[in-house]
Amino acid sequence: MNLNISETKIAFGGEQRKYTHYSEALQCDMTFSIYLPSTNEQQKIPLVWWLSGLTCTDDNFSQKSGFQRLADHHQVAVIIPDTSPRGENVADDAAYDLGQGAGFYVDATEKPWSEHYKMYTYITEELAEIATSLVPNFSGKESIMGHSMGGHGALVIGLKNAKRFKAISAFSPILNPIQTPWGKKAFSTYLGEDQESWKSWDASELIKKTNAPPIMISQGTKDGFYPEQLEESTFLKNAKEYNQSVEYIKHDGYDHSYFFISTFLDDHFAFHVKHLK
Amino acid sequence: MNLNISETKIAFGGEQRKYTHYSEALQCDMTFSIYLPSTNEQQKIPLVWWLSGLTCTDDNFSQKSGFQRLADHHQVAVIIPDTSPRGENVADDAAYDLGQGAGFYVDATEKPWSEHYKMYTYITEELAEIATSLVPNFSGKESIMGHSMGGHGALVIGLKNAKRFKAISAFSPILNPIQTPWGKKAFSTYLGEDQESWKSWDASELIKKTNAPPIMISQGTKDGFYPEQLEESTFLKNAKEYNQSVEYIKHDGYDHSYFFISTFLDDHFAFHVKHLK
């Protein structure tokens, strides 16, 4: 495993680390962050995944959410991947919602994107192997959360691997990308024009196809991308029809920012920890 | 009062606001942030000042510390000034530790700096009038905290106005700028070569000249600027000799970053709130 540690910061007693490595799945150098709580060497430590939104790197959640306080308190490790492959040789687009910083957590099938944009495989296989090896006294249990595009990623990855992830939660997620503008643009680019193929990357479709882990979703009412990009009705209708455990909470006055995430992160961590025990 | 609100974000129930205004003291347009906690309209709200370090704006503390959780919990307002005058017509320097982003919270006397660099007057008079007018049900009580250059600023402003500020605290402060490299560079530039004039902006000197409010200081042992820029011995010796109330705490393994600040901000808020009651 070709892994270089580039930064270690103590935060709330634990260690906020940054690593770089060459990704075989993505065929480029990648950076990720991981938080390892202080440990008494007896307690088993679960792993929570955080997937970030458009334009983010592994730094946004690490620096702006204050999650380390909760992760150390609850004694969980948190892995924060980057949001796409990176580098001069990696396909890109001038728009903020396509290309580098906007991988949408799919495995692309269309050229030139298919050469590097395999974020689903990267996260579920390659980075998973690395991350679980870094957690001291790993409990073997994982859960996943994310924001916006990363909320979509958390739901898609969690639902496609429903036995592996004990809980899924999301802030302001893209719940029905095959029907909303960001998703349509990304999926037609990465996956091509066969819209049938898009369904395997859409939470509102996937919720019909598995026995889902418990799901919690927080959405701010003053979010500038809501409801256009973040429409929830199809997801909630399908979840209800298939008898899934979904808690969808609207928060008055909150927007799409990290101020919203940091305010309700306590609730999300408590939800995950309950199911990771 | 020529005041424009440019942003309002809900965070932890309160409002994180950003304002712009023309400053008479600084002779340029300025931006500041203020957090107003949710209020029950009965409790009186005190005002805590936060002064940031080199290269920062009003955004760093607002976005990276997670302070809003504590400010709403304790029902205090928090005002975050920028760290210097700003703009194309304002004197600047290519170095990160001089000019825009590095005002050192003094009133400059040397040209060209004296035209705009009056951060002490700006904060203690002009911005104070604005900030206190924005706090609903203001209790009339103020305290001050800061980081690095802003820790120096908090101590200097707090000690020069010892009756006004009920508590002072600092993370990794420049405690003796007349003897350390950042301070010598800034003071010789802003205040000229008469080193006697520097003493009125040095916490280790000011601590000898007043009945100081209670002071708490946190310093990480792995701080890359410690002890060179942040040397504490003279300050602590003088504080002891003049029987001042100073708690100086070293934290093993922590560095100069916001990870350090966010970890111990609970303790600092508790300290301030105790003295603001």
Side-chain angles (χ1 to χ4, degrees), chain A residues 24 30-31 154 227 231:
Chain A
E24 293 293 338
M30 290 296 286
T31 298
E231 224 278 315

Side-chain angles (χ1 to χ4, degrees), chain A residues 132-169:
Chain A
T132 54
S133 78
L134 292 173
V135 179
N137 217 8
F138 178 47
S139 75
K141 293 189 176 168
E142 294 171 80
S143 66
I144 191 162
M145 57 172 82
H147 173 232
S148 194
M149 176 184 77
H152 145 75
L155 284 155
V156 164
I157 289 173
L159 290 169
K160 281 164 106 65
N161 301 274
K163 290 187 181 164
R164 173 171 160 193
F165 293 98
K166 304 305 173 201
I168 307 171
S169 81

Side-chain angles (χ1 to χ4, degrees), chain B residues 184-226:
Chain B
K184 285 186 193 177
K185 180 178 177 181
F187 286 9
S188 61
T189 304
Y190 298 144
L191 305 171
E193 292 306 327
D194 173 15
Q195 299 197 11
E196 200 57 33
S197 75
W198 299 5
K199 290 184 178 172
S200 61
W201 304 102
D202 183 289
S204 297
E205 293 292 325
L206 292 168
I207 195 77
K208 301 191 283 190
K209 296 189 175 144
T210 185
N211 188 8
I215 295 171
M216 185 164 100
I217 296 171
S218 290
Q219 176 62 55
T221 61
K222 289 276 177 67
D223 184 328
F225 301 111
Y226 179 82

Side-chain angles (χ1 to χ4, degrees), chain B:
Chain B
M1 206 183 286
N2 165 25
L3 200 58
N4 303 298
I5 189 162
S6 61
E7 200 175 281
T8 300
K9 304 270 192 181
I10 309 295
F12 290 91
E15 289 190 11
Q16 183 64 57
R17 297 186 190 170
K18 192 185 271 284
Y19 285 92
T20 56
H21 71 123
Y22 182 79
S23 163
E24 293 292 339
L26 303 177
Q27 295 283 305
C28 64
D29 288 322
M30 290 295 287
T31 298
F32 67 87
S33 287
I34 189 167
Y35 181 77
L36 304 175
S38 61
T39 170
N40 57 17
E41 293 180 15
Q42 293 176 317
Q43 194 167 345
K44 296 267 188 189
I45 307 290
L47 178 65
V48 176
W49 290 77
W50 172 270
L51 303 186
S52 290
L54 288 166
T55 77
C56 289
T57 68
D58 59 306
D59 281 337
N60 300 66
F61 187 64
S62 166
Q63 297 185 2
K64 297 174 92 173
S65 72
F67 84 84
Q68 294 90 353
R69 177 178 62 90
L70 299 162
D72 194 69
H73 172 73
H74 290 298
Q75 292 278 289
V76 300
V78 178
I79 170 79
I80 314 169
D82 201 348
T83 53
S84 77
R86 300 277 182 182
E88 278 180 28
N89 299 323
V90 172
D92 199 5
D93 189 280
Y96 77 100
D97 55 0
L98 208 62
Q100 296 188 34
F104 275 83
Y105 304 103
V106 302
D107 282 351
T109 54
E110 297 297 295
K111 286 186 177 173
W113 310 97
S114 53
E115 196 184 338
H116 295 284
Y117 285 73
K118 305 282 184 187
M119 285 301 286
Y120 177 76
T121 296
Y122 171 63
I123 286 172
T124 56
E125 297 178 16
E126 188 177 14
L127 187 57
E129 188 182 334
I130 296 171
T132 54
S133 78
L134 292 173
V135 179
N137 217 7
F138 178 45
S139 75
K141 294 189 175 168
E142 294 171 82
S143 66
I144 190 162
M145 56 171 84
H147 173 232
S148 193
M149 176 184 76
H152 145 74
L155 283 155
V156 164
I157 289 173
L159 290 168
K160 280 164 108 62
N161 301 273
K163 289 187 181 162
R164 172 170 160 194
F165 293 99
K166 305 305 173 201
I168 306 172
S169 81
F171 294 87
S172 334
I174 305 170
L175 283 171
N176 197 187
I178 68 177
Q179 297 293 350
T180 47
W182 278 337
K184 285 186 193 177
K185 180 178 177 181
F187 286 9
S188 61
T189 304
Y190 298 144
L191 305 171
E193 292 306 327
D194 173 15
Q195 299 197 11
E196 200 57 33
S197 75
W198 299 5
K199 290 184 178 172
S200 61
W201 304 102
D202 183 289
S204 297
E205 293 292 325
L206 292 168
I207 195 77
K208 301 191 283 190
K209 296 189 175 144
T210 185
N211 188 8
I215 295 171
M216 185 164 100
I217 296 171
S218 290
Q219 176 62 55
T221 61
K222 289 276 177 67
D223 184 328
F225 301 111
Y226 179 82
E228 187 188 17
Q229 304 282 4
L230 313 172
E231 224 279 315
E232 80 279 26
S233 62
T234 303
F235 181 82
L236 294 181
K237 180 173 71 64
N238 293 348
K240 191 173 179 188
E241 186 177 333
Y242 287 82
N243 205 23
Q244 308 284 16
S245 168
V246 174
E247 190 177 6
Y248 185 88
I249 311 160
K250 283 202 183 175
H251 299 277
D252 267 357
Y254 285 86
D255 68 6
H256 202 71
S257 70
Y258 269 82
F259 292 122
F260 169 51
I261 296 170
S262 61
T263 300
F264 297 102
L265 204 54
D266 283 63
D267 301 339
H268 282 244
F269 266 78
F271 172 76
H272 282 253
V273 166
K274 185 172 72 177
H275 297 290
L276 286 165
K277 291 287 179 203

Side-chain angles (χ1 to χ4, degrees), chain A residues 62-93:
Chain A
S62 166
Q63 297 185 1
K64 297 173 93 173
S65 73
F67 84 84
Q68 294 90 353
R69 177 178 62 90
L70 298 162
D72 194 69
H73 172 72
H74 290 297
Q75 292 278 290
V76 301
V78 178
I79 170 79
I80 314 168
D82 201 349
T83 53
S84 77
R86 298 278 181 181
E88 278 181 28
N89 299 322
V90 172
D92 200 4
D93 189 279

